Amino acid sequence: MSATLPILMAVKDHLKAHLTDWEIELMPDKLDDYFLAHPNGAVLISYVASKFGGLRAADIVSQTRTVNIVLTVITRNLHNDYGALDLLDRLRLLIVGFKPPDCSECYLIEEHFEGEDTGTWQYQLVLQTETVQLQNVKCKNLPKLVEVITRRKGQPLDPKLTKK
């Protein structure tokens, strides 16, 4: 099972290592206060939802958790080398197949134009990955295995053992 924040941090670190000409950040707590300071633009990473599958085991709650993550692209250009379209192409190649900790490979769901405001372009790229959600179980105080006595067919019983 993987918690949400480590998944987002792994995506951030992966993108940051490959997109050195861009600001890569987690979505700020107060989006209205966000100021795009980077000259090229930014990718903001946010968790948006999870869907849970049916139970996978009979003795414990174990479910597939499908995690939705949004990469919000904010750029000052649309068509040039540091434009939104080029960045989206690079993001798709970087994220498809990337495997966050305790998750399956990431895959894409959708991409859409969010808008343009005074020369700042915004797109969103929605991706998914899967992990497992497990029940938190307290350990039972059961007898511990102390010793294993092996015996091959035809060998006499170990003297430590007694017949019933």
Side-chain angles (χ1 to χ4, degrees):
M1 181 201 80
S2 184
T4 306
L5 190 55
I7 295 171
L8 297 179
M9 292 303 293
V11 170
K12 176 186 167 192
D13 293 344
H14 175 67
L15 295 179
K16 207 168 205 165
H18 293 89
L19 298 171
T20 56
D21 292 336
W22 299 91
E23 184 68 39
I24 311 294
E25 299 180 46
L26 296 183
M27 185 66 74
D29 291 336
K30 295 182 179 179
L31 189 55
D32 290 340
D33 294 343
Y34 180 76
F35 176 74
L36 179 61
H38 197 280
N40 296 331
V43 178
L44 303 178
I45 303 159
S46 58
Y47 165 76
V48 291
S50 287
K51 289 187 180 178
F52 297 89
L55 296 178
R56 298 170 50 166
D59 59 340
I60 189 171
V61 175
S62 171
Q63 299 172 275
T64 299
R65 176 184 175 209
T66 303
V67 180
N68 288 3
I69 299 169
V70 172
L71 305 179
T72 301
V73 169
I74 305 171
T75 66
R76 299 185 191 284
N77 297 292
L78 183 59
H79 298 292
N80 70 9
D81 289 344
Y82 293 101
L85 300 180
D86 181 63
L87 180 55
L88 287 166
D89 289 340
R90 293 173 67 190
L91 279 172
R92 279 188 239 104
L93 291 173
L94 283 170
I95 208 65
V96 170
F98 172 69
K99 196 172 177 179
D102 301 319
C103 294
S104 65
E105 292 84 359
C106 293
Y107 54 96
L108 301 173
I109 300 301
E110 67 176 322
E111 177 179 288
H112 55 272
F113 176 63
E114 277 294 298
E116 181 270 337
D117 184 25
T118 62
T120 303
W121 299 85
Q122 285 193 28
Y123 284 83
Q124 287 193 334
L125 183 62
V126 181
L127 61 110
Q128 284 185 343
T129 186
E130 293 179 355
T131 187
V132 177
Q133 184 66 47
L134 295 172
Q135 172 186 353
N136 191 11
V137 179
K138 293 181 181 177
C139 292
K140 296 177 183 175
N141 192 12
L142 298 173
K144 308 292 185 241
L145 178 65
V146 177
E147 182 180 7
V148 175
I149 300 172
T150 60
R151 177 179 168 226
R152 294 185 184 259
K153 189 174 181 178
Q155 283 183 329
L157 286 177
D158 188 287
K160 296 178 201 170
L161 299 175
T162 58
K163 289 187 178 183
K164 288 186 179 183

